[in-house]
Amino acid sequence: MNYDLIIAGAGLAGSSLALAAAQQGLRVALVETTARPAAQQTGYDERSITLSYGSARILAGLGLEAHIARNAVPIQRIHISERGRFGVTRLDSREEHVDALGYVINARLLGGVLQGALDTQSNVTWFCPARLTAIQTDADQVHATIDSHGTLQRLSAQLLAGADGAGSTVRKLLGIGVTQHDYRQTAIVAQLTSTRPHQHTAYERFTQSGAIALLPIAAGRLGLVWMQPADAARAALALSDAEFITQLQHHFGARLGSFRDLAPRRAYPLHLSCAQAQTHTRSVLIGNAAHALHPIGGQGFNLGLRDIATLAQLLADARRMGSDLGSSALLDQYVRWRQADQQRVVRFTDTLVRVFESPSLPIAAVRPLGFLAATLCPPLKHSIAKSAMGLAGRLPRLARRLPL
Ligand SMILES: Cc1cc2nc3c(=O)[nH]c(=O)nc-3n(C[C@H](O)[C@H](O)[C@H](O)COP(=O)(O)OP(=O)(O)OC[C@H]3O[C@@H](n4cnc5c(N)ncnc54)[C@H](O)[C@@H]3O)c2cc1C
């Protein structure tokens, strides 16, 4: 029951950290409430996840390149527009000298790929289904109590990572507060087909009925994320498939021809939640437990993966030097390194939501200027592309294609 690292939560974030740590020889205890297989886990559903170019590099560094190539669809262009207003911003992989600006992958498939890779690691011990219920720390170790169908076990390690989602129990047990904002919006997620091919273009269209993302996915289909005010979303969910498609067509327009073959719609209420501290004695929060974002820019997991690649690098270095994996020096270094990127992405995402939902005339009037500036000013456009590709700021080794 003695480990180097205990991870609570085997969603996309916890599983990615477990894999990175195990590949460095760390003994990992992975505690997950939901029984396997991957398909049953909440975070491993049919949502389409946009992986940035940098995230694809990180996953490739974890040995998953072939899986990503097989399961993910490359995004060669991003087309951003506002309905009824002048101005479009187009990002193109050729202008950035890369094969793809990012990739779209089904969350269930990605979860399955991560769990499959974890199954090849003999130094990962699963406690599943089991729930972390208590935490205790002393000078040298952190101790976690886990409850598996009423049987309690105590696990000890140098470091505990809370990857247990936006409602994190670890965060609560550590007494870390959370700053939350309810956007009063709901994301409707579905899949459909269009009569015109997507040609590997991801569309983000801002409309008076919320932001619509249409992502290129496998078999020529499109992954839809329609972020609407909660009331409007409730009404849209009650529509028949044909009525829903008519509404979508009305708001998105005819750029992709006619829509059809709608797969079941799922709804996600949208909140921003940011932990008021990322670390505590021998503990760190990652993924949605640290920051759960509005999905408007497709940034949540991408940001989490850069955190994970950084933490894994610091742990790998500490292990090589034989130093303490849960020391406050290591955790402070992690927080300092990640702060700027986290603040930038949280601010960017939150601002985007507020600017595009604002009915205020001055804001609405300057919005087209933003599109125009991004189109006419190549350095600005390049900087937007770099951010979207997850290549801005100080990058960990995995995101620079270097081994851990
Ligand atoms: C509609 C939508 C679209 C999105 N699109 C994108 C996108 O395009 N790109 C992107 O980068 N991000 C996107 N995201 C964000 C992305 O889905 C999340 O950032 C990602 O899934 C990471 O989640 P997580 O692993 O941190 O948390 P979760 O998925 O919530 O996983 C937490 C895990 O912890 C387990 N757990 C909870 N409590 C305990 C406990 N006490 N003990 C043990 N285990 C516990 C849970 O069972 C769960 O498996 C999107 C999100 C939404 C809602």
Side-chain angles (χ1 to χ4, degrees), residues 42 95 166 185 267 271 304 351 356 392:
T42 39
E95 287 173 18
Q185 290 186 8
H271 305 268
T351 306
F356 278 98

Side-chain angles (χ1 to χ4, degrees), residues 8 13 43 57 87 153 191 266 271 322 329 364 392:
R57 274 187 184 176
Q153 281 174 291
Q191 295 174 2
R266 290 161 180 269
H271 305 268

Side-chain angles (χ1 to χ4, degrees), residues 8-14 31-34 41-43 47-51 130-133 163-166 169 187 189 215 225 268 270 286-289 293 295 298-303:
L12 296 179
V31 185
E32 168 56 47
T33 311
T34 313
Q41 226 157 298
T42 39
R47 80 186 76 162
S48 301
I49 297 277
T50 309
L51 291 176
R131 176 180 295 277
L132 184 143
T133 55
D164 49 347
T169 302
V189 170
L215 308 169
V225 189
Y268 301 82
L270 301 180
I286 58 158
N288 281 2
L293 311 182
Q299 296 281 331
F301 178 57
N302 289 308
L303 177 63

Side-chain angles (χ1 to χ4, degrees), residues 366-400:
V366 297
R367 279 194 305 242
L369 297 180
F371 284 103
L372 198 63
T375 304
L376 295 182
C377 173
L380 176 60
K381 195 168 148 179
H382 175 62
S383 138
I384 293 171
K386 224 174 139 189
S387 267
M389 290 164 71
L391 298 179
R394 183 183 168 200
L395 297 176
R397 286 198 286 266
L398 281 176
R400 287 184 282 133

Side-chain angles (χ1 to χ4, degrees), residues 148-203:
S148 179
H149 296 303
T151 305
L152 300 186
Q153 281 174 291
R154 193 169 130 109
L155 314 179
S156 304
Q158 294 182 53
L159 181 66
L160 165 72
D164 49 347
S168 173
T169 302
V170 171
R171 195 179 61 214
K172 285 179 203 141
L173 291 171
L174 294 173
I176 298 177
V178 62
T179 305
Q180 277 176 316
H181 175 72
D182 181 354
Y183 288 111
R184 298 179 198 285
Q185 290 186 8
T186 301
I188 301 178
V189 170
Q191 295 174 2
L192 40 83
T193 310
S194 58
T195 49
R196 285 201 201 128
H198 56 59
Q199 295 183 315
H200 296 275
T201 302
Y203 294 88

